mmCIF file of all heavy atoms in Angstrom:
data_model
loop_
_atom_site.group_PDB
_atom_site.id
_atom_site.type_symbol
_atom_site.label_atom_id
_atom_site.label_comp_id
_atom_site.label_asym_id
_atom_site.label_seq_id
_atom_site.Cartn_x
_atom_site.Cartn_y
_atom_site.Cartn_z
ATOM 1 N N ARG A 22 0.815 -1.188 -0.065
ATOM 2 C CA ARG A 22 0.019 -0.009 -0.009
ATOM 3 C C ARG A 22 0.882 1.187 -0.021
ATOM 4 O O ARG A 22 1.840 1.309 0.707
ATOM 5 C CB ARG A 22 -0.888 0.006 1.258
ATOM 6 C CG ARG A 22 -1.895 -1.125 1.222
ATOM 7 C CD ARG A 22 -3.103 -0.646 1.947
ATOM 8 N NE ARG A 22 -4.080 -1.675 2.074
ATOM 9 C CZ ARG A 22 -5.103 -1.633 1.161
ATOM 10 N NH1 ARG A 22 -5.453 -0.740 0.342
ATOM 11 N NH2 ARG A 22 -5.990 -2.745 1.221
ATOM 12 N N LEU A 23 0.481 2.273 -0.750
ATOM 13 C CA LEU A 23 1.187 3.451 -0.825
ATOM 14 C C LEU A 23 0.585 4.377 0.306
ATOM 15 O O LEU A 23 -0.642 4.754 0.106
ATOM 16 C CB LEU A 23 1.129 4.036 -2.224
ATOM 17 C CG LEU A 23 1.837 5.354 -2.359
ATOM 18 C CD1 LEU A 23 3.417 5.071 -2.327
ATOM 19 C CD2 LEU A 23 1.593 5.931 -3.824
ATOM 20 N N LEU A 24 1.294 4.636 1.381
ATOM 21 C CA LEU A 24 0.837 5.428 2.409
ATOM 22 C C LEU A 24 0.911 6.906 2.066
ATOM 23 O O LEU A 24 1.842 7.450 1.474
ATOM 24 C CB LEU A 24 1.490 5.202 3.650
ATOM 25 C CG LEU A 24 1.479 3.775 4.167
ATOM 26 C CD1 LEU A 24 2.422 3.494 5.393
ATOM 27 C CD2 LEU A 24 0.163 3.292 4.426
ATOM 28 N N LYS A 25 -0.106 7.653 2.496
ATOM 29 C CA LYS A 25 -0.191 9.079 2.270
ATOM 30 C C LYS A 25 -0.265 9.864 3.571
ATOM 31 O O LYS A 25 -0.398 9.243 4.618
ATOM 32 C CB LYS A 25 -1.535 9.380 1.362
ATOM 33 C CG LYS A 25 -1.412 8.757 0.127
ATOM 34 C CD LYS A 25 -2.620 8.958 -0.788
ATOM 35 C CE LYS A 25 -2.469 8.581 -2.203
ATOM 36 N NZ LYS A 25 -3.125 7.277 -2.418
ATOM 37 N N ASP A 26 -0.375 11.229 3.494
ATOM 38 C CA ASP A 26 -0.511 11.983 4.663
ATOM 39 C C ASP A 26 0.645 11.969 5.598
ATOM 40 O O ASP A 26 0.446 11.994 6.811
ATOM 41 C CB ASP A 26 -1.870 11.727 5.331
ATOM 42 C CG ASP A 26 -3.080 11.835 4.471
ATOM 43 O OD1 ASP A 26 -2.978 12.945 3.531
ATOM 44 O OD2 ASP A 26 -3.955 11.143 4.539
ATOM 45 N N TRP A 27 1.835 11.974 5.119
ATOM 46 C CA TRP A 27 3.139 11.912 5.934
ATOM 47 C C TRP A 27 3.216 13.262 6.527
ATOM 48 O O TRP A 27 3.093 14.311 5.904
ATOM 49 C CB TRP A 27 4.340 11.518 5.200
ATOM 50 C CG TRP A 27 4.238 10.049 4.689
ATOM 51 C CD1 TRP A 27 3.929 9.456 3.581
ATOM 52 C CD2 TRP A 27 4.715 9.067 5.658
ATOM 53 N NE1 TRP A 27 3.993 8.216 3.725
ATOM 54 C CE2 TRP A 27 4.565 7.828 4.966
ATOM 55 C CE3 TRP A 27 5.396 8.918 6.897
ATOM 56 C CZ2 TRP A 27 4.825 6.581 5.481
ATOM 57 C CZ3 TRP A 27 5.671 7.711 7.477
ATOM 58 C CH2 TRP A 27 5.553 6.569 6.681
ATOM 59 N N LYS A 28 3.633 13.377 7.898
ATOM 60 C CA LYS A 28 3.859 14.537 8.625
ATOM 61 C C LYS A 28 5.182 14.366 9.349
ATOM 62 O O LYS A 28 5.680 13.281 9.570
ATOM 63 C CB LYS A 28 2.750 14.878 9.566
ATOM 64 C CG LYS A 28 1.409 15.076 8.801
ATOM 65 C CD LYS A 28 0.331 15.148 9.862
ATOM 66 C CE LYS A 28 -0.942 15.295 9.260
ATOM 67 N NZ LYS A 28 -1.536 14.072 8.574
ATOM 68 N N ARG A 29 5.896 15.495 9.742
ATOM 69 C CA ARG A 29 7.040 15.493 10.435
ATOM 70 C C ARG A 29 6.856 16.135 11.807
ATOM 71 O O ARG A 29 6.155 17.249 11.903
ATOM 72 C CB ARG A 29 8.119 16.233 9.780
ATOM 73 C CG ARG A 29 9.516 15.977 10.173
ATOM 74 C CD ARG A 29 10.545 16.422 9.110
ATOM 75 N NE ARG A 29 11.803 15.734 9.399
ATOM 76 C CZ ARG A 29 12.733 15.690 8.580
ATOM 77 N NH1 ARG A 29 12.788 16.278 7.334
ATOM 78 N NH2 ARG A 29 13.756 15.104 8.914
ATOM 79 N N ASP A 30 7.305 15.448 12.934
ATOM 80 C CA ASP A 30 6.949 15.967 14.258
ATOM 81 C C ASP A 30 8.164 16.967 14.507
ATOM 82 O O ASP A 30 9.078 17.087 13.850
ATOM 83 C CB ASP A 30 6.883 14.959 15.340
ATOM 84 C CG ASP A 30 8.088 14.075 15.465
ATOM 85 O OD1 ASP A 30 9.134 14.571 15.166
ATOM 86 O OD2 ASP A 30 8.004 13.116 16.129
ATOM 87 N N SER A 31 8.180 17.574 15.766
ATOM 88 C CA SER A 31 9.092 18.539 16.071
ATOM 89 C C SER A 31 10.453 18.015 16.392
ATOM 90 O O SER A 31 11.505 18.714 16.320
ATOM 91 C CB SER A 31 8.636 19.216 17.437
ATOM 92 O OG SER A 31 8.553 18.312 18.499
ATOM 93 N N ASP A 32 10.558 16.671 16.642
ATOM 94 C CA ASP A 32 11.961 16.105 16.594
ATOM 95 C C ASP A 32 12.439 15.616 15.320
ATOM 96 O O ASP A 32 13.606 15.068 15.141
ATOM 97 C CB ASP A 32 11.787 14.826 17.555
ATOM 98 C CG ASP A 32 11.524 15.135 19.029
ATOM 99 O OD1 ASP A 32 12.117 16.294 19.369
ATOM 100 O OD2 ASP A 32 10.794 14.325 19.641
ATOM 101 N N GLY A 33 11.786 15.942 14.275
ATOM 102 C CA GLY A 33 12.187 15.607 12.856
ATOM 103 C C GLY A 33 11.772 14.045 12.484
ATOM 104 O O GLY A 33 12.226 13.666 11.362
ATOM 105 N N ASN A 34 11.033 13.380 13.293
ATOM 106 C CA ASN A 34 10.478 11.959 12.790
ATOM 107 C C ASN A 34 9.284 12.186 11.985
ATOM 108 O O ASN A 34 8.469 12.966 12.172
ATOM 109 C CB ASN A 34 10.112 11.324 14.145
ATOM 110 C CG ASN A 34 11.339 11.123 15.076
ATOM 111 O OD1 ASN A 34 12.439 10.900 14.655
ATOM 112 N ND2 ASN A 34 11.116 11.390 16.367
ATOM 113 N N TRP A 35 9.253 11.193 11.013
ATOM 114 C CA TRP A 35 8.129 11.208 10.079
ATOM 115 C C TRP A 35 7.048 10.176 10.515
ATOM 116 O O TRP A 35 7.440 9.221 11.131
ATOM 117 C CB TRP A 35 8.686 10.699 8.624
ATOM 118 C CG TRP A 35 9.440 11.754 7.930
ATOM 119 C CD1 TRP A 35 10.764 11.899 7.948
ATOM 120 C CD2 TRP A 35 8.838 12.900 7.211
ATOM 121 N NE1 TRP A 35 11.021 12.956 7.247
ATOM 122 C CE2 TRP A 35 9.994 13.575 6.808
ATOM 123 C CE3 TRP A 35 7.631 13.218 6.850
ATOM 124 C CZ2 TRP A 35 9.719 14.713 5.913
ATOM 125 C CZ3 TRP A 35 7.433 14.470 6.020
ATOM 126 C CH2 TRP A 35 8.497 15.103 5.740
ATOM 127 N N TYR A 36 5.841 10.492 10.408
ATOM 128 C CA TYR A 36 4.756 9.557 10.846
ATOM 129 C C TYR A 36 3.506 9.839 9.879
ATOM 130 O O TYR A 36 3.426 10.849 9.197
ATOM 131 C CB TYR A 36 4.374 9.738 12.280
ATOM 132 C CG TYR A 36 3.718 11.081 12.507
ATOM 133 C CD1 TYR A 36 2.262 11.224 12.584
ATOM 134 C CD2 TYR A 36 4.390 12.243 12.641
ATOM 135 C CE1 TYR A 36 1.575 12.389 12.820
ATOM 136 C CE2 TYR A 36 3.689 13.503 13.017
ATOM 137 C CZ TYR A 36 2.417 13.523 13.045
ATOM 138 O OH TYR A 36 1.746 14.720 13.216
ATOM 139 N N THR A 37 2.636 8.873 9.809
ATOM 140 C CA THR A 37 1.359 8.971 9.152
ATOM 141 C C THR A 37 0.188 8.466 9.897
ATOM 142 O O THR A 37 0.442 7.471 10.699
ATOM 143 C CB THR A 37 1.529 8.255 7.738
ATOM 144 O OG1 THR A 37 0.306 8.378 7.023
ATOM 145 C CG2 THR A 37 1.777 6.636 7.927
ATOM 146 N N THR A 38 -0.944 9.075 9.614
ATOM 147 C CA THR A 38 -2.152 8.379 10.209
ATOM 148 C C THR A 38 -3.025 7.882 9.113
ATOM 149 O O THR A 38 -4.152 7.704 9.382
ATOM 150 C CB THR A 38 -2.835 9.627 11.012
ATOM 151 O OG1 THR A 38 -3.053 10.643 10.123
ATOM 152 C CG2 THR A 38 -2.052 10.062 12.238
ATOM 153 N N ASP A 39 -2.395 7.495 8.115
ATOM 154 C CA ASP A 39 -3.035 6.871 6.899
ATOM 155 C C ASP A 39 -3.994 5.710 7.403
ATOM 156 O O ASP A 39 -3.237 4.678 7.806
ATOM 157 C CB ASP A 39 -2.190 6.531 5.828
ATOM 158 C CG ASP A 39 -2.828 6.187 4.520
ATOM 159 O OD1 ASP A 39 -3.943 5.452 4.578
ATOM 160 O OD2 ASP A 39 -2.284 6.296 3.461
ATOM 161 N N ARG A 40 -5.200 5.669 7.187
ATOM 162 C CA ARG A 40 -6.037 4.481 7.740
ATOM 163 C C ARG A 40 -5.836 3.228 6.982
ATOM 164 O O ARG A 40 -6.314 2.221 7.356
ATOM 165 C CB ARG A 40 -7.497 4.995 7.771
ATOM 166 C CG ARG A 40 -7.813 6.002 8.818
ATOM 167 C CD ARG A 40 -9.208 6.212 8.917
ATOM 168 N NE ARG A 40 -9.499 7.390 9.756
ATOM 169 C CZ ARG A 40 -9.722 7.313 11.023
ATOM 170 N NH1 ARG A 40 -9.453 6.192 11.711
ATOM 171 N NH2 ARG A 40 -9.925 8.427 11.826
ATOM 172 N N SER A 41 -5.310 3.336 5.836
ATOM 173 C CA SER A 41 -5.099 2.118 4.932
ATOM 174 C C SER A 41 -3.976 1.284 5.494
ATOM 175 O O SER A 41 -3.775 0.041 5.096
ATOM 176 C CB SER A 41 -4.874 2.514 3.560
ATOM 177 O OG SER A 41 -3.529 2.947 3.339
ATOM 178 N N LEU A 42 -3.223 1.806 6.447
ATOM 179 C CA LEU A 42 -2.073 0.997 7.057
ATOM 180 C C LEU A 42 -2.460 -0.219 7.733
ATOM 181 O O LEU A 42 -1.802 -1.235 7.594
ATOM 182 C CB LEU A 42 -1.233 1.987 8.079
ATOM 183 C CG LEU A 42 -0.023 1.446 8.642
ATOM 184 C CD1 LEU A 42 0.919 0.871 7.617
ATOM 185 C CD2 LEU A 42 0.539 2.299 9.612
ATOM 186 N N GLY A 43 -3.622 -0.146 8.475
ATOM 187 C CA GLY A 43 -4.006 -1.412 9.316
ATOM 188 C C GLY A 43 -3.221 -1.620 10.450
ATOM 189 O O GLY A 43 -2.390 -0.743 10.863
ATOM 190 N N SER A 44 -3.389 -2.657 11.158
ATOM 191 C CA SER A 44 -2.849 -2.916 12.440
ATOM 192 C C SER A 44 -1.442 -3.670 12.367
ATOM 193 O O SER A 44 -0.736 -3.782 13.251
ATOM 194 C CB SER A 44 -3.793 -3.600 13.280
ATOM 195 O OG SER A 44 -4.047 -4.833 12.917
ATOM 196 N N THR A 45 -1.311 -4.367 11.293
ATOM 197 C CA THR A 45 -0.046 -5.267 11.043
ATOM 198 C C THR A 45 0.835 -4.751 9.798
ATOM 199 O O THR A 45 0.263 -4.518 8.816
ATOM 200 C CB THR A 45 -0.498 -6.679 10.754
ATOM 201 O OG1 THR A 45 -1.181 -7.198 11.889
ATOM 202 C CG2 THR A 45 0.827 -7.561 10.691
ATOM 203 N N VAL A 46 2.050 -4.381 10.132
ATOM 204 C CA VAL A 46 2.945 -4.099 9.080
ATOM 205 C C VAL A 46 3.965 -5.334 8.846
ATOM 206 O O VAL A 46 4.635 -5.658 9.804
ATOM 207 C CB VAL A 46 3.739 -2.799 9.441
ATOM 208 C CG1 VAL A 46 4.810 -2.519 8.339
ATOM 209 C CG2 VAL A 46 2.805 -1.668 9.563
ATOM 210 N N ASN A 47 3.978 -5.829 7.724
ATOM 211 C CA ASN A 47 4.826 -6.911 7.423
ATOM 212 C C ASN A 47 6.232 -6.521 6.765
ATOM 213 O O ASN A 47 7.236 -7.157 6.914
ATOM 214 C CB ASN A 47 4.318 -7.949 6.343
ATOM 215 C CG ASN A 47 3.063 -8.621 7.168
ATOM 216 O OD1 ASN A 47 3.110 -8.933 8.222
ATOM 217 N ND2 ASN A 47 1.931 -8.682 6.396
ATOM 218 N N LEU A 48 6.123 -5.342 5.965
ATOM 219 C CA LEU A 48 7.433 -4.855 5.580
ATOM 220 C C LEU A 48 7.309 -3.370 5.159
ATOM 221 O O LEU A 48 6.127 -2.872 5.054
ATOM 222 C CB LEU A 48 7.998 -5.611 4.303
ATOM 223 C CG LEU A 48 7.054 -5.715 3.072
ATOM 224 C CD1 LEU A 48 7.622 -4.768 2.092
ATOM 225 C CD2 LEU A 48 7.182 -7.110 2.412
ATOM 226 N N LEU A 49 8.288 -2.694 5.199
ATOM 227 C CA LEU A 49 8.302 -1.318 4.739
ATOM 228 C C LEU A 49 9.409 -0.920 3.817
ATOM 229 O O LEU A 49 10.498 -1.300 3.898
ATOM 230 C CB LEU A 49 8.578 -0.480 6.156
ATOM 231 C CG LEU A 49 8.692 1.046 6.093
ATOM 232 C CD1 LEU A 49 7.311 1.668 5.594
ATOM 233 C CD2 LEU A 49 9.196 1.572 7.236
ATOM 234 N N LEU A 50 8.892 -0.148 2.755
ATOM 235 C CA LEU A 50 9.778 0.301 1.676
ATOM 236 C C LEU A 50 9.868 1.826 1.781
ATOM 237 O O LEU A 50 8.800 2.508 2.011
ATOM 238 C CB LEU A 50 9.393 -0.140 0.268
ATOM 239 C CG LEU A 50 9.453 -1.656 0.056
ATOM 240 C CD1 LEU A 50 8.427 -1.968 -0.864
ATOM 241 C CD2 LEU A 50 10.763 -1.883 -0.526
ATOM 242 N N ILE A 51 11.056 2.399 1.757
ATOM 243 C CA ILE A 51 11.112 3.829 1.629
ATOM 244 C C ILE A 51 11.924 4.156 0.427
ATOM 245 O O ILE A 51 13.091 3.558 0.143
ATOM 246 C CB ILE A 51 11.899 4.479 2.894
ATOM 247 C CG1 ILE A 51 11.100 4.264 4.206
ATOM 248 C CG2 ILE A 51 12.139 6.032 2.596
ATOM 249 C CD1 ILE A 51 11.820 4.715 5.435
ATOM 250 N N ASP A 52 11.257 4.811 -0.571
ATOM 251 C CA ASP A 52 11.802 5.130 -1.880
ATOM 252 C C ASP A 52 12.279 3.819 -2.548
ATOM 253 O O ASP A 52 13.379 3.751 -3.244
ATOM 254 C CB ASP A 52 12.952 6.088 -1.826
ATOM 255 C CG ASP A 52 12.526 7.419 -1.416
ATOM 256 O OD1 ASP A 52 11.317 7.907 -1.761
ATOM 257 O OD2 ASP A 52 13.269 8.237 -0.761
ATOM 258 N N GLY A 53 11.519 2.715 -2.358
ATOM 259 C CA GLY A 53 11.824 1.462 -3.063
ATOM 260 C C GLY A 53 12.794 0.530 -2.251
ATOM 261 O O GLY A 53 13.195 -0.511 -2.793
#
């Protein structure tokens, strides 16, 4: 799934609240 709505917090960490993420993450790709 291509996650959207990325935001950066005050510490410089990236996060998303994209509801398509679900509760289980099996793998993560950043820029492929």
Side-chain angles (χ1 to χ4, degrees):
R22 296 211 178 256
L23 186 61
L24 300 177
K25 297 180 172 99
D26 301 323
W27 287 95
K28 297 172 184 72
R29 200 167 197 166
D30 67 15
S31 60
D32 294 326
N34 299 314
W35 289 95
Y36 70 96
T37 181
T38 55
D39 188 326
R40 292 188 186 272
S41 71
L42 181 59
S44 61
T45 303
V46 176
N47 295 319
L48 63 102
L49 174 68
L50 294 146
I51 298 177
D52 294 329

